[in-house]
């Protein structure tokens, strides 16, 4: 019996999320009113396999694998799917979890849903512009919010602040 690995993986994900295949495929269509909407095939072409898995399939990267986990330079973290600015470096902290962590997103840029997968009730967070899955938010974060936005580095693109301050030096 030849089981296609991709199909099998999708079925496993659907079961773990407690969703039927119909609900999952409906979620991939333009049901949600996000400003940026694309078909599954369009996202697949636009994103790397890792980005697609996390952003569009609610995947989780392995802990301690994101280079952004160790980055604390000033700058902005944007959505790897649509480019929306999501978090600022000032709100990033070391949670020692192995995932980039922030105590708050930029106002209005992150939405949330209840995630009942893996026998837990967690709050899933996603980009408010494209619906791309980012990670989860927990109540054990530092002041001032007490929140910990535990974010997959794969779903973020970091833009360092100095990119806009070196224009006077370059005379080309
Ligand atoms: Fe986005």
């Amino acid at each position: 019996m030849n089981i296609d690995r991709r199909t099998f993986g999708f079925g496993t994900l659907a079961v773990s999320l407690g969703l039927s295949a119909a609900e999952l495929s409906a979620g991939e269509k333009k049901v949600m009113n996000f400003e940026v909407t694309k078909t599954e095939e369009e996202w697949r072409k636009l994103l790397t396999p890792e980005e697609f898995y996390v952003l569009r399939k609610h995947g989780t990267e392995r802990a301690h694998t994101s280079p952004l986990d160790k980055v604390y330079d000033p700058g902005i973290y944007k959505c790897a799917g649509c480019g929306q600015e999501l978090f600022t470096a000032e709100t990033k902290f070391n949670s020692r979890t192995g995932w980039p962590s922030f105590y708050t997103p930029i106002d209005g840029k992150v939405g949330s849903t209840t995630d009942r997968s893996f026998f837990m009730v967690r709050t899933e967070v996603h980009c408010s512009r494209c619906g791309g899955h980012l990670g989860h938010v927990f109540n054990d974060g530092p002041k001032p919010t007490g929140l910990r936005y535990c974010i997959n580095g794969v779903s973020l693109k970091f833009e360092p602040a100095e990119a806009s301050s070196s224009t006077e030096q370059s005379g080309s």
Side-chain angles (χ1 to χ4, degrees):
M1 189 160 135
N2 183 16
I3 299 174
D4 177 67
R5 283 186 62 197
R6 189 170 295 178
T7 306
F8 181 71
F10 182 77
T12 307
L13 180 73
V15 168
S16 68
L17 287 172
L19 298 170
S20 70
E23 282 175 298
L24 267 189
S25 61
E28 279 297 329
K29 285 172 191 156
K30 300 177 181 182
V31 173
M32 310 286 255
N33 275 325
F34 292 112
E35 185 188 329
V36 173
T37 53
K38 296 180 192 299
T39 64
E40 176 154 337
E41 210 40 52
E42 287 169 337
W43 280 121
R44 219 183 266 280
K45 281 181 193 154
L46 197 72
L47 304 171
T48 67
E50 292 76 20
E51 289 167 352
F52 182 81
Y53 168 68
V54 171
L55 286 165
R56 308 313 311 177
K57 294 293 169 191
H58 287 219
T60 299
E61 71 191 12
R62 281 196 304 125
H64 303 284
T65 57
S66 172
L68 294 182
D69 185 32
K70 300 271 196 295
V71 170
Y72 293 95
D73 300 328
I76 294 275
Y77 293 83
K78 296 181 171 184
C79 173
C82 74
Q84 169 159 266
E85 296 184 351
L86 300 173
F87 300 94
T88 65
E90 292 87 69
T91 64
K92 193 170 188 286
F93 68 97
N94 186 359
S95 64
R96 300 174 198 280
T97 58
W99 289 283
S101 301
F102 305 83
Y103 62 74
T104 191
I106 299 173
D107 219 15
K109 303 304 173 96
V110 169
S112 64
T113 60
T114 301
D115 175 357
R116 297 177 186 280
S117 64
F118 303 108
F119 309 101
M120 292 179 272
V121 180
R122 295 177 296 171
T123 302
E124 177 271 354
V125 291
H126 56 265
C127 170
S128 66
R129 185 159 175 258
C130 72
H133 172 68
L134 305 172
H136 292 85
V137 57
F138 300 94
N139 286 320
D140 55 9
K143 290 177 182 177
T145 63
L147 297 174
R148 171 171 60 93
Y149 285 79
C150 185
I151 306 298
N152 292 283
V154 160
S155 63
L156 300 173
K157 292 272 191 258
F158 179 60
E159 193 173 289
E162 61 262 25
S164 57
S165 63
S166 60
T167 42
E168 297 217 358
Q169 293 291 322
S170 63
S172 59

